[in-house]
Amino acid sequence: MKSHTRGETLYVDDLNEPEDLLFGAVFVSSIPHGKIKSLDLSKAKNHPGVKALLTADQIPGENQIGNIIMDEPLFAEKSVHFMGQPIACVLAKSKETALQGRDLIHVEYVAQPPVFDPREAAEKGELISPVRTLVRGNPDLVWDSCDLVVEGKAETGAQEHLYLETQACLALPQEGDGLKICSATQAPTAVQRIVSKVLKIPMNRIEVEVRRLGGAFGGKEDQATPWAVMAALGAYLLKKPVKITLHREEDIKITGKRHPYSSDYKMGLNRDGVILAYEAAYYQNAGAAADLSPAIMERSLFHATNAYAIPDVRITGYSCKTNLPPFTAFRGFGAPQAVFVIESAIHHAAQALGVDASKIQKKNLLKENDAFPYGMGVKRSNARRSFKEAQSIFAFSKLLKETNRFNKRNRLVKRGVALAPICFGISFTNTFLNQAGALVQVYTDGSVSVNTGAVEMGQGVNPKIQKIAALTLGIPEQRILMERTNTKRIPNTSPTAASSGADINGMAAMLACEIIRKRLIRCAAEELGVVPALVSINRGKILVEDNSTDLTWESLVQSAYLKRINLSAQAHFAPKGIHYDKALEKGAPFTYHVFGTAVIQAEVDCLRGTLRILKAQAVHDAGKSLDHNIDQGQIEGGIVQAIGWMTSEEMVYCNGEIQSCNLGTYKVPDIHCAPEIESVFLRDSQNPKAVLKSKAIGEPPFLYGIGSYFAVLNAIRAFRNQTITRYGAPLTPERVLSLLCD
Amino acid sequence: MQFLLNDQLVDKALGAQVPALDYLRHQARLKGVKCGCREGDCGACNVLLGGMEGADPVYRSRSSCLLLLGHVQGKHLVTIEGLNQYQLNLVQQTILEENASQCGFCTPGLIICVYDYLCNSKELDPEEGVTAVEGVICRCTGYASIRRAIKKISAHYLSRLDPHEDRIPALVREKALPPYFANAGQKLSNLRNPPIKGDLIVAGATDLLIQRPLEVSRSKLFFLSNLDKIKKEEQRVIIGSGVTAEQLKNAGLIFSKHMDLIGAQTLRNAATVGGNIINASPIGDLCVMLLALNAALALKLDNKLRTLELKDFFLGYKQIDLKPGEILENISYFNTGEDLRFNFEKVSKRQHLDIASVNSGCAIRVKKKKIQWASLSAGGVAPIPLFLEKTSAFLVNKSLDPETVILASRIAASEVSPISDVRGSKTYKSRLLRRLILAHFVTLFDLEIIP
């Protein structure tokens, strides 16, 4: 966006501050588990400049912000379940005063034993939701007939979103007990619904507006809600505007992250590398409340077999309740964790068979009509094609040879290569969320406003919808303004998540534009005295059988207005054919799947125990890409984010407290870590299931980055010349050195 | 207090202890300056700080969260708003075209760093451009588009800018900078810049503002000045305590080539060698380098100078042999002849802009495969930056071979006492130190060592 480069883009914290604005500071639990014996707010209340202290007992409605399961209070009342759980919020005339007030709050706890390990929680029966098992065939009947069975453990760590804009909300009281909430959220309707519940006021009194987010990646789907509700509560009770923004360290300490998973796998193959059976159990560390954990586990189950067809499969998922801040959505939504497990199993099996993992990968890729464990058959599978193209375009076998040569020549520096085929299902797995609305308004000068429920967070959903609207209306993109996301204009929105933003909102916008286009064509046909079928609009010109006329978009809009033709249209879109039966664990939860294959090259300094990801190349199935530039940006960004997850991003906990709570200790990739990236769009991929034959792009490319783990492991194997089957990410230098030595 | 802010003169009473970030966002209302971390680790709040160096103004990127108004006095502070012209400039246009801005939050700070590059890189080598933006964390793009933009911007200006002409006027001519930059030098020369004196001594403040922000905000600060020269004598190098890490990087000293492992350019523009020593972090990179070079400190109290070996300066964790009111004037080391070899090793979770798990310095002289003299140091393995006394002594008069080096690495491990923390377990740190000792010899002498 042009304004980004001029520093003129406004995020929540940049909005003009009303003179009577109050600032919030959130007081949180300092222990991971215990009862609140006493809470002394008196000193804080009397601190000059402190205007109010919000606690559970001031909530007019329900003290409940749970989304899927109602298990999360806004403010802890009698007990605390994680370090960082909000207990109170201080409102004061300045941020400094609010922080001073917060330091004066005194709380006494009776500590209770905490649980941090998901397996321990599962053993104790501490589960967020019932265990889920996805079965196809029966692996137990197959193990004996396998030539090889490998078993092991694979673990991935937590990942902080590190959106550059921290959590923020500004709540402004409106006339008649109403509220306007400017929230940095991916889920404006969730904020509206939960504010309504907590304040006990109807949803129509609450306007939630989102201009844009300074990054989110899932971290503002559910996790933006508490701060918005607190600000709303303050604004509602005090009739004053309230702003709450989290300091980076606070944000890292108390908000949710990608779930750590500890998993078991078992894979059976024949001697040719055909996978005959696969079994996995995921112990998902969900933290102290459900947040989106059950939905994330569901996506893990659905992505257990990645891009492979396996006849006999049993996948079990445990959402384990621990005393850590509730974990949440993060790009990939449980799929990356599951893909890491099966890729670990394949890597393990490849070593046992003495072949490169790519041999096993290739043998088992999904073919047309192969079935996923959840029963759905694959349509228009591009798994094999993208794999083959990646191997040929990026000269994979030559690369393997070169890598071997390099490793023979170099004693202390070794290289490794890995292929990463991916398959990612598109749609919210919770079927009802797959709906979107749009409102398109044409003004009498011919300029157009497009409203949708999509939230722009850098992923380019607005420029994509702008393009769709321009193509549909037949006018230049510059005539179209993408409006802020606002619950008053588009109600009942689904969160902008699950990579679905452009798919469903773009389709709704297209439908609305289509309605207006039809009305205008009819009007033009009347003016020109021809049948509507002959009229078209192209680049702002009105054509009859492709010949230009005197009518332009502007003059047509003007005459339509004078003829009292409706120049606004609302539309609703809900993709058809998706369903899922949780009792049977069968159905067709996805509209379609995204495929692709990446080649990742890594280098390990075997003396110092450090690594570098040299290159990432991907053949990606973007359907008929809506915007190459934007889609390329999503591929590159996703890969590097996953490389961070696999290598340097280590969330360090000590007794439930996050130690890596700032950018000095939590290291996301910088420009030097980022590899050279080459992305090629899979040729002639047309997707009839989504808007303008495109495919969703946000999450799938993240999975490519998982290949970096195995590339590094292969480099280490080249140094040690022995089998390595310890699968645990991230590969920090400490882990690398341990893999090189132990 | 007087300074230039974009195209305006600021002339009013302002607190020297106020971070520029807060002043810019809340008082000057320049919201293009974003707050991402308040610890200089993300680059969202970057600004350019221009000051006279000789006859011309020089502009360098700085994190405004780690910049105090006391630093800004007499200088030219430039935010993204100060680079805007009616139309997008070429840098902005290219970033837009290459889609090098997604959510946009890091973009203003990124553009500031590109300007540091354009203002200071003679050759306009894109790799220098990458270095200039290394402190900017972008969570969206994966940096590939940023690299492409830098390449394109470099190519554009390479054909238009002469490495020998004054860069600022040339950038004004090319419309990369707004016209008001043309006479910034003259305006800067006319600014009042009286010394700011108080009790709490401030150098670059890059650590002070992270560790003790409240103390800074409540103190009267003393801003050091005129300590920013490097003097190369025949056998000795004398470094003023106010010399920045970026100056050291460009000074052609024996350890200069290792300076790219320290901070990021934006931080190197601020952090001083004196600050690194006084801060006494057990993992201080410059402390570890200078320990290996057997550096000495010149300390001044009421015009009385005393000298002290750096290794005797560190008394305990963050405890130093510094008297109240005493100021570190300079650091010096002997740089005798070409046979002195130096190496520095550092391993951290991320190679750049990170604090080491363990670092180590090694200065050594070898003649005919025999070690004449050796001086090794290590950080992150003791409460202080440690001179490896036993290891250094052991190496003297030994023959330069793998056995010697492996023995030395074991001795090094025996004289340290690392603790487990967020940067690694103590077992790891001890093991890593052994590896880094080996690495010195592999790097300097290409010894065939199998770890």
Side-chain angles (χ1 to χ4, degrees):
Chain A
M1 249 180 59
K2 193 174 155 187
S3 65
H4 290 350
T5 68
R6 295 176 65 87
E8 289 166 355
T9 299
L10 297 177
Y11 305 86
V12 171
D13 197 32
D14 301 331
L15 299 176
N16 264 336
E17 294 175 349
E19 251 178 46
D20 53 349
L21 181 63
L22 299 178
F23 295 82
V26 187
F27 177 81
V28 301
S29 166
S30 57
I31 65 162
H33 189 202
K35 293 207 163 74
I36 297 177
K37 203 166 114 191
S38 67
L39 178 64
D40 180 4
L41 304 170
S42 54
K43 275 190 193 150
K45 262 183 196 156
N46 295 329
H47 187 68
V50 169
K51 292 291 162 190
L53 274 110
L54 305 176
T55 50
D57 51 19
Q58 290 174 53
I59 292 175
E62 284 178 58
N63 181 20
Q64 182 52 249
I65 59 167
N67 192 346
I68 298 178
I69 298 171
M70 299 308 130
D71 68 348
E72 191 176 359
L74 178 65
F75 291 120
E77 286 178 78
K78 295 191 173 68
S79 57
V80 290
H81 298 271
F82 63 93
M83 205 179 273
Q85 182 172 6
I87 297 172
C89 178
V90 185
L91 299 180
K93 280 170 40 176
S94 74
K95 182 90 194 188
E96 292 68 37
T97 315
L99 292 172
Q100 286 160 10
R102 185 176 73 177
D103 289 344
L104 297 172
I105 295 177
H106 187 69
V107 59
E108 277 180 72
Y109 305 98
V110 180
Q112 291 173 301
V115 176
F116 304 122
D117 176 41
R119 288 179 189 258
E120 188 189 333
E123 224 165 78
K124 290 183 171 157
E126 287 287 333
L127 296 180
I128 289 281
S129 52
V131 181
R132 284 181 68 174
T133 309
L134 196 59
V135 186
R136 178 166 186 245
N138 185 350
D140 292 339
L141 303 176
V142 182
W143 303 122
D144 285 347
S145 56
C146 295
D147 297 323
L148 172 74
V149 176
V150 291
E151 282 183 82
K153 210 169 163 185
E155 294 190 312
T156 48
Q159 185 179 26
E160 162 61 31
H161 304 82
L162 218 109
Y163 29 69
L164 263 285
E165 176 205 24
T166 56
Q167 304 281 355
C169 179
L170 173 68
L172 307 158
Q174 307 287 299
E175 309 177 323
D177 281 351
L179 283 169
K180 178 168 179 174
I181 300 171
C182 303
S183 164
T185 178
Q186 291 173 254
T189 294
V191 167
Q192 184 192 23
R193 194 181 66 236
I194 293 169
V195 167
S196 156
K197 183 201 258 179
V198 173
L199 301 190
K200 214 175 170 188
I201 58 173
M203 283 172 78
N204 64 3
R205 305 294 162 87
I206 304 158
E207 174 184 4
V208 179
E209 180 164 286
V210 187
R211 287 165 181 254
R212 66 181 59 78
L213 313 179
F217 316 109
K220 295 171 183 172
E221 187 174 346
D222 252 23
Q223 297 281 317
T225 306
W227 333 110
V229 179
M230 282 176 208
L233 177 64
Y236 179 75
L237 294 176
L238 278 83
K239 301 283 173 248
K240 291 244 195 282
V242 173
K243 179 154 94 173
I244 297 178
T245 54
L246 298 189
H247 182 277
R248 175 65 63 193
E249 201 157 310
E250 240 184 330
D251 193 307
I252 296 183
K253 276 193 167 175
I254 69 183
T255 68
K257 315 186 185 317
R258 182 188 298 284
H259 294 74
Y261 275 45
S262 176
S263 308
D264 299 321
Y265 63 80
K266 186 175 181 183
M267 181 177 271
L269 308 92
N270 70 16
R271 61 175 59 84
D272 298 328
V274 176
I275 305 171
L276 303 174
Y278 177 60
E279 202 172 73
Y282 307 136
Y283 295 88
Q284 174 198 58
N285 194 334
D291 192 276
L292 294 161
S293 299
I296 290 163
M297 176 53 81
E298 187 166 71
R299 191 168 279 272
S300 299
L301 296 176
F302 291 164
H303 289 77
T305 52
N306 191 18
Y308 310 109
I310 306 175
D312 291 86
V313 177
R314 183 185 297 112
I315 312 294
T316 314
Y318 303 86
S319 267
C320 309
K321 189 172 175 174
T322 63
N323 297 104
L324 293 176
F327 291 91
T328 194
F330 194 149
R331 202 177 202 165
F333 207 73
Q337 289 94 325
V339 168
F340 181 80
V341 179
I342 190 161
E343 292 299 336
S344 296
I346 290 174
H347 189 262
H348 187 167
Q351 293 184 84
L353 288 173
V355 297
D356 187 73
S358 61
K359 295 266 187 317
I360 299 179
Q361 289 171 328
K362 190 174 186 172
K363 274 235 157 75
N364 295 283
L365 289 169
L366 288 159
K367 292 188 303 290
E368 200 63 15
N369 294 322
D370 275 343
F372 288 103
Y374 45 89
M376 187 177 177
V378 194
K379 296 284 175 237
R380 283 171 294 278
S381 170
N382 284 324
R384 286 175 178 249
R385 194 152 76 87
S386 55
F387 194 88
K388 233 168 109 183
E389 295 213 358
Q391 280 195 320
S392 74
I393 295 172
F394 307 129
F396 184 70
S397 43
K398 193 172 149 221
L399 180 63
L400 277 183
K401 275 187 207 128
E402 279 172 9
T403 305
N404 282 336
R405 254 205 310 276
F406 178 93
N407 289 340
K408 285 210 181 87
R409 278 202 311 267
N410 292 279
R411 230 166 15 92
L412 292 175
V413 181
K414 299 290 181 191
R415 287 189 177 167
V417 183
L419 274 169
I422 67 157
C423 169
F424 195 89
I426 300 300
S427 287
F428 287 97
T429 59
N430 218 335
T431 303
F432 80 87
L433 288 172
N434 296 288
Q435 55 176 315
L439 172 64
V440 176
Q441 320 191 123
V442 180
Y443 294 91
T444 53
D445 66 348
S447 64
V448 179
S449 278
V450 174
N451 299 274
T452 72
V455 171
E456 177 60 52
M457 53 194 111
Q459 85 280 43
V461 69
N462 275 351
K464 280 185 171 178
I465 296 176
Q466 187 179 22
K467 203 170 200 174
I468 292 165
L471 282 171
T472 312
L473 292 172
I475 57 173
E477 282 173 42
Q478 298 85 302
R479 298 251 62 186
I480 294 167
L481 180 70
M482 294 305 299
E483 295 286 347
R484 299 167 196 169
T485 316
N486 187 304
T487 54
K488 288 271 180 202
R489 292 191 290 265
I490 306 294
N492 314 326
T493 60
S494 291
T496 302
S499 309
S500 69
D503 269 24
I504 56 174
N505 294 284
M507 193 63 106
M510 188 163 96
L511 294 176
C513 290
E514 193 58 33
I515 296 169
I516 294 175
R517 193 184 67 91
K518 278 188 182 148
R519 288 182 198 143
L520 287 173
I521 293 246
R522 255 199 318 273
C523 173
E526 248 172 60
E527 299 241 324
L528 296 164
V530 294
V531 292
L534 299 180
V535 182
S536 60
I537 311 173
N538 193 351
R539 293 181 189 187
K541 302 267 189 306
I542 314 302
L543 310 175
V544 174
E545 288 186 294
D546 296 336
N547 299 315
S548 57
T549 65
D550 289 344
L551 280 183
T552 61
W553 167 260
E554 284 74 19
S555 66
L556 176 58
V557 166
Q558 183 64 30
S559 57
Y561 170 70
L562 294 175
K563 284 182 180 161
R564 299 186 290 173
I565 291 170
N566 182 359
L567 290 171
S568 323
Q570 187 272 347
H572 178 259
F573 171 69
K576 292 191 181 67
I578 43 175
H579 54 87
Y580 195 73
D581 186 332
K582 274 191 195 173
L584 295 173
E585 294 288 12
K586 292 284 176 227
F590 301 118
T591 319
Y592 61 93
H593 292 82
V594 173
F595 300 90
T597 298
V599 180
I600 315 272
Q601 301 174 47
E603 187 174 283
V604 173
D605 177 333
C606 302
L607 179 59
R608 298 170 182 85
T610 54
L611 63 85
R612 257 186 341 135
I613 307 302
L614 302 174
K615 208 168 187 182
Q617 296 161 297
V619 169
H620 183 78
D621 171 17
K624 194 163 177 284
S625 171
L626 282 174
D627 186 314
H628 271 244
N629 236 348
I630 290 173
D631 286 353
Q632 186 183 10
Q634 289 298 299
I635 294 170
E636 293 167 345
I639 289 176
V640 171
Q641 215 167 47
I643 288 174
W645 180 49
M646 287 286 106
T647 61
S648 62
E649 295 184 35
E650 185 183 30
M651 194 49 73
V652 183
Y653 294 88
C654 182
N655 298 321
E657 185 176 16
I658 292 170
Q659 310 259 285
S660 46
C661 57
N662 49 46
L663 276 73
T665 46
Y666 185 76
K667 305 312 279 191
V668 299
D670 64 8
I671 196 165
H672 297 296
C673 307
E676 186 188 334
I677 304 174
E678 187 183 348
S679 43
V680 175
F681 292 96
L682 186 70
R683 281 175 298 120
D684 309 321
S685 171
Q686 303 256 336
N687 177 31
K689 298 279 192 174
V691 63
L692 298 176
K693 301 188 173 152
S694 65
K695 282 197 174 186
I697 188 79
E699 292 164 288
F702 185 91
L703 299 176
Y704 294 134
I706 295 171
S708 62
Y709 185 91
F710 300 97
V712 172
L713 228 52
N714 290 342
I716 294 172
R717 281 173 59 208
F719 180 76
R720 295 201 71 176
N721 214 2
Q722 66 188 64
T723 305
I724 300 175
T725 55
R726 284 152 60 200
Y727 300 104
L731 281 168
T732 56
E734 178 162 4
R735 270 229 175 85
V736 171
L737 196 55
S738 163
L739 286 169
L740 286 164
C741 301
D742 305 328
Chain B
M1 181 180 287
Q2 284 192 333
F3 59 90
L4 303 178
L5 173 58
N6 297 331
D7 59 351
Q8 303 285 317
L9 169 71
V10 176
D11 187 359
K12 54 178 156 190
L14 290 165
Q17 78 288 356
V18 175
L21 171 62
D22 295 331
Y23 167 78
L24 290 169
R25 280 184 64 81
H26 301 130
Q27 285 178 262
R29 298 199 165 261
L30 294 167
K31 300 290 176 91
V33 185
K34 307 296 181 195
C35 174
C37 71
R38 287 202 89 99
E39 51 169 337
D41 266 326
C42 79
C45 69
N46 287 347
V47 293
L48 286 171
L49 189 65
M52 297 304 283
E53 288 183 18
D56 299 309
V58 174
Y59 291 87
R60 294 183 203 284
S61 61
R62 297 286 292 263
S63 297
S64 66
C65 63
L66 301 183
L67 180 69
L68 298 164
L69 289 186
H71 289 119
V72 173
Q73 175 181 268
K75 301 265 169 63
H76 185 188
L77 188 59
V78 183
T79 69
I80 184 71
E81 289 87 350
L83 297 174
N84 284 339
Q85 301 181 58
Y86 180 70
Q87 286 185 317
L88 291 188
N89 61 45
L90 181 105
V91 174
Q92 294 168 325
Q93 186 63 37
T94 310
I95 281 174
L96 197 63
E97 281 165 11
E98 292 298 321
N99 194 28
S101 166
Q102 289 186 21
C103 85
F105 206 85
C106 75
T107 310
L110 173 77
I111 291 174
I112 289 288
C113 288
V114 173
Y115 270 88
D116 180 326
Y117 165 61
L118 289 180
C119 290
N120 299 303
S121 167
K122 286 271 169 265
E123 309 300 329
L124 292 173
D125 172 358
E127 277 312 304
E128 286 182 37
V130 167
T131 302
V133 307
E134 65 192 351
V136 176
I137 294 299
C138 169
R139 194 58 157 159
C140 297
T141 62
Y143 305 100
S145 52
I146 294 175
R147 276 181 181 271
R148 287 193 289 272
I150 290 173
K151 256 192 191 152
K152 214 164 142 184
I153 293 163
S154 305
H156 175 91
Y157 285 116
L158 197 56
S159 61
R160 286 169 176 82
L161 298 174
D162 178 348
H164 306 295
E165 66 181 332
D166 283 346
R167 188 54 64 81
I168 303 298
L171 289 170
V172 172
R173 180 192 70 220
E174 294 298 325
K175 298 193 166 60
L177 287 174
Y180 75 86
F181 273 84
N183 57 4
Q186 193 196 336
K187 284 194 212 154
L188 273 171
S189 314
N190 293 334
L191 293 181
R192 270 198 321 272
N193 192 7
I196 302 173
K197 305 225 160 166
D199 324 307
L200 182 63
I201 299 170
V202 176
T206 51
D207 199 66
L208 193 66
L209 264 169
I210 300 171
Q211 306 298 339
R212 290 142 67 187
L214 268 182
E215 190 185 340
V216 171
S217 72
R218 287 167 191 169
S219 300
K220 274 191 86 73
L221 307 181
F222 185 112
F223 285 81
L224 293 176
S225 55
N226 296 324
L227 294 168
D228 56 354
K229 301 282 180 299
I230 300 171
K231 220 161 103 190
K232 293 182 199 170
E233 295 179 347
E234 201 176 323
Q235 295 203 321
R236 218 160 68 111
V237 176
I238 306 166
I239 304 165
S241 60
V243 166
T244 65
E246 187 64 14
Q247 275 176 281
L248 291 174
K249 181 176 177 233
N250 300 321
L253 302 176
I254 194 165
F255 59 93
S256 288
K257 71 167 178 183
H258 302 286
M259 292 301 295
D260 65 334
L261 291 177
I262 293 174
Q265 189 164 311
T266 305
L267 288 173
R268 286 195 298 272
N269 285 336
T272 65
V273 58
N276 198 255
I277 289 169
I278 299 291
N279 187 32
S281 158
I283 197 68
D285 291 318
L286 278 166
C287 297
V288 169
M289 290 190 203
L290 290 164
L291 275 172
L293 288 165
N294 282 5
L297 308 179
L299 299 153
K300 197 173 186 181
L301 179 63
D302 303 329
N303 288 325
K304 260 184 266 165
L305 262 180
R306 66 172 174 129
T307 55
L308 185 67
E309 285 202 44
L310 178 59
K311 64 169 184 266
D312 298 327
F313 184 64
F314 305 113
L315 305 175
Y317 179 69
K318 295 241 170 188
Q319 295 201 320
I320 49 176
D321 182 1
L322 187 75
K323 302 192 173 91
E326 203 168 34
I327 285 174
L328 171 61
E329 285 258 315
N330 66 54
I331 302 98
S332 59
Y333 63 90
F334 285 93
N335 191 12
T336 45
E338 280 177 10
D339 61 337
L340 179 68
R341 310 283 301 271
F342 177 82
N343 187 46
F344 175 70
E345 293 286 338
K346 171 177 177 175
V347 169
S348 41
K349 275 187 189 154
R350 194 174 69 195
Q351 199 183 5
H352 293 85
L353 187 48
D354 197 1
I355 295 168
S357 295
V358 176
N359 54 10
S360 174
C362 169
I364 191 164
R365 255 192 225 109
V366 176
K367 244 183 209 161
K368 291 184 185 157
K369 295 260 167 192
K370 199 163 171 201
I371 300 168
Q372 308 289 308
W373 176 84
S375 168
L376 280 77
S377 60
V381 288
I384 57 170
L386 197 65
F387 178 71
L388 295 172
E389 201 145 3
K390 287 182 192 159
T391 317
S392 306
F394 164 80
L395 283 164
V396 179
N397 287 329
K398 297 283 184 312
S399 69
L400 181 67
D401 55 42
E403 294 72 43
T404 305
V405 175
I406 286 169
L407 270 176
S409 75
R410 289 192 191 137
I411 294 170
S414 74
E415 59 178 321
V416 299
S417 49
I419 53 164
S420 295
D421 62 15
V422 70
R423 306 196 194 283
S425 67
K426 59 183 182 188
T427 330
Y428 169 62
K429 290 178 184 175
S430 168
R431 176 185 261 173
L432 181 57
L433 174 66
R434 292 203 303 274
R435 288 299 183 98
L436 296 187
I437 302 292
L438 304 184
H440 287 311
F441 292 86
V442 171
T443 307
L444 290 173
F445 304 104
D446 212 10
L447 274 195
E448 291 248 349
I449 303 171
I450 307 289

